[in-house]
Amino acid sequence: MAWDRYGQRKPSAATLSDYRIGTIGPVPTTIDPQTHGSHVGRHSGDQDRPALSEGAIPSATITSQPAPSGAAFAATCPFSPAARNEDQLAAARFPKASHHDPRLGRYEANYVGHAEQAPFRERGSSGGMVSWVAADLLASGQIDGVAHVIPSTGERLFHYRISRTPDQILEGARSRYYPVDLAEVLAEIRATPGRYAIVGVPCFIKAVSLLREQDPILNERITHLLGLFCGHMKSAAFVDSFAWQLDVNRKDVRAVEYRRKDPDRPANWYTAHLTLNDGTARWQDWFHLADGDWGAGFFQNSACDACDDVVAECADVSFGDAWVEPYSSDGRGTNVVIVRSPDIAGRISSAIADGRLDLKAVDADFIANTQAAGFRQRREGLAYRLTWQKRRVTPVKRVAPRATGHPPRRRAIYRLRAGIARWSHRMAFAAKRLNRTALYTRWAKASLYVYQAFAYKRGRLGRLLARLDGVEG
């Protein structure tokens, strides 16, 4: 993997050459229409599927016959129209799930709350549940290591590592809105026998699920997938923007915290915090930054506009923030949790009973409401985006393309988000090349003003739009 000019991790030229001319890994030789066909909202044949062991992929879908690497890539890329979708992958992983919801996928139980057992909540950006589950699996002997993102220094501020102790797991707590890749840890898992869990955002979890169907070694060794709810991915240029706006040289930045935790402030008051090489620090609340509105889409990866999975539907258990009151005002942090693995469901129930977890059962509507904006963007917004243009590779999604039925202001918001995402990369690149950071920050402020006028009816333009909508501004 390598950096592109916009600060995103992409396959290197050598890797792309291998995919064009080489042979990489096995791919399925046959297609079962029951498991590979389109079946959004239905799961035919589930009652005939054999029960699966924890984390296992049905062996009938795995083969060792090699195929041209282009076909292997098409079968494992999470955005490939040739790859299986989340419904199909989850049906194979969790055939006996107690519940199914079109927004959350298959699941056993949903919860809101936090880890009561110290120090997980204190060390995490939210309720500490991701690190708690990872540490519990490790302590129980179900896994030998956890692949997750930790801070680093040098060219990459964050990278994946396999942790093998509880203290190492806690080093990966907190949110990381930074480009990473799984190449190194997957190579380590292939080289080192054992059982592993992988923590990742939905597209990473889907990619690993697809790869496990092709690779018998990874299928055997990756036994658990821990998913993170996701709004979208950012490029490394987001850190450049922090540095520019906090008036520091990007080369002097040693570490970054995207969501510095403060129990005395609401959890949704994000604070960007930079630690410099000389030991000093700079920080600023997101709402004072030119690009501090997450929903506007600054530095969003273009693939995120073709994603319809908000909650990591292929994971054994998924975690998000409880962005509804009273939880969003609790600076100590609160998780929502979707449990799909029966084994993990049992472990969580036992931990609730003995006081290690403070969780309350909730329904699917509660979980979906905590991520309402994300579902609008990934479902309604995606349906509209799929009609915009003919792409070189047209995504095949569980959401059908739909150009009509979207109110004019919502269409404008989706257009603005896509434009901001695209041009933020270009404007930041130009500002960096010309050494004129104001080129980006002034553009970002103007873009944010227009976006918030449409999204929230703020400012003079927002009041005008409100009157045009027939609503008092």
Side-chain angles (χ1 to χ4, degrees), residues 23-177:
T23 300
I24 298 180
V27 298
T29 56
T30 60
I31 301 288
D32 177 356
Q34 284 194 333
T35 59
H36 286 71
S38 175
H39 59 90
V40 178
R42 65 183 176 87
H43 303 279
S44 60
D46 286 1
Q47 63 270 33
D48 298 322
R49 298 183 192 276
L52 304 181
S53 60
E54 184 72 32
I57 295 294
S59 59
T61 68
I62 302 173
T63 176
S64 59
Q65 179 174 334
S69 55
F73 182 79
T76 55
C77 173
F79 295 97
S80 166
R84 299 215 289 160
N85 68 32
E86 290 83 350
D87 284 339
Q88 295 158 337
L89 291 165
R93 290 288 308 285
F94 316 112
K96 297 182 179 180
S98 301
H99 308 281
H100 177 262
D101 181 90
R103 299 158 298 181
L104 311 188
R106 293 168 173 252
Y107 66 92
E108 295 293 332
N110 301 319
Y111 297 99
V112 62
H114 59 270
E116 188 69 20
Q117 181 181 350
F120 295 101
R121 191 185 195 190
E122 295 79 6
R123 295 280 296 274
S125 60
S126 190
M129 284 299 302
V130 183
S131 297
W132 186 91
V133 169
D136 181 68
L137 291 172
L138 188 67
S140 68
Q142 294 199 44
I143 58 173
D144 302 298
V146 181
H148 62 142
V149 179
I150 65 162
S152 59
T153 57
E155 181 188 24
R156 287 188 280 174
L157 291 173
F158 300 93
H159 72 284
Y160 262 94
R161 181 191 72 187
I162 295 178
S163 293
R164 300 179 183 276
T165 69
D167 287 341
Q168 288 181 338
I169 289 174
L170 285 168
E171 292 176 19
R174 302 296 174 94
S175 298
R176 320 296 191 190
Y177 308 129

Side-chain angles (χ1 to χ4, degrees), residues 211-257:
L211 186 59
R212 290 171 69 230
E213 291 190 334
Q214 319 306 321
D215 191 318
I217 293 176
L218 293 181
N219 183 53
E220 176 187 357
R221 295 178 182 176
I222 299 173
T223 58
H224 295 77
L225 299 175
L226 311 185
L228 307 173
F229 293 11
C230 181
H232 61 262
M233 293 284 284
K234 298 288 191 185
S235 77
F238 199 27
V239 181
D240 296 343
S241 176
F242 286 167
W244 297 340
Q245 296 182 69
L246 296 179
D247 197 27
V248 299
N249 190 317
R250 171 63 183 85
K251 294 180 180 179
D252 293 334
V253 176
R254 185 177 69 201
V256 58
E257 281 192 58

Side-chain angles (χ1 to χ4, degrees), residues 256-267:
V256 58
E257 281 192 58
Y258 294 88
R259 295 172 55 183
R260 191 165 182 84
K261 197 166 190 175
D262 186 344
D264 297 323
R265 288 160 38 105

Side-chain angles (χ1 to χ4, degrees), residues 127 455 461:
L461 177 59

Side-chain angles (χ1 to χ4, degrees), residues 276-343:
L276 308 184
N277 290 328
D278 63 5
T280 62
R282 304 285 190 277
W283 61 89
Q284 182 60 276
D285 291 332
W286 277 38
F287 48 75
H288 292 309
L289 299 174
D291 45 14
D293 187 326
W294 182 275
F298 289 94
F299 300 112
Q300 174 186 288
N301 192 303
S302 60
C304 300
D305 270 342
C307 179
D308 59 8
D309 185 359
V310 176
V311 298
E313 296 173 43
C314 302
D316 296 281
V317 55
S318 301
F319 311 88
D321 287 274
W323 295 137
V324 293
E325 294 295 351
Y327 305 107
S328 57
S329 292
D330 187 344
R332 295 171 297 174
T334 307
N335 279 120
V336 283
V337 183
I338 303 173
V339 189
R340 301 184 183 88
S341 158
D343 177 72

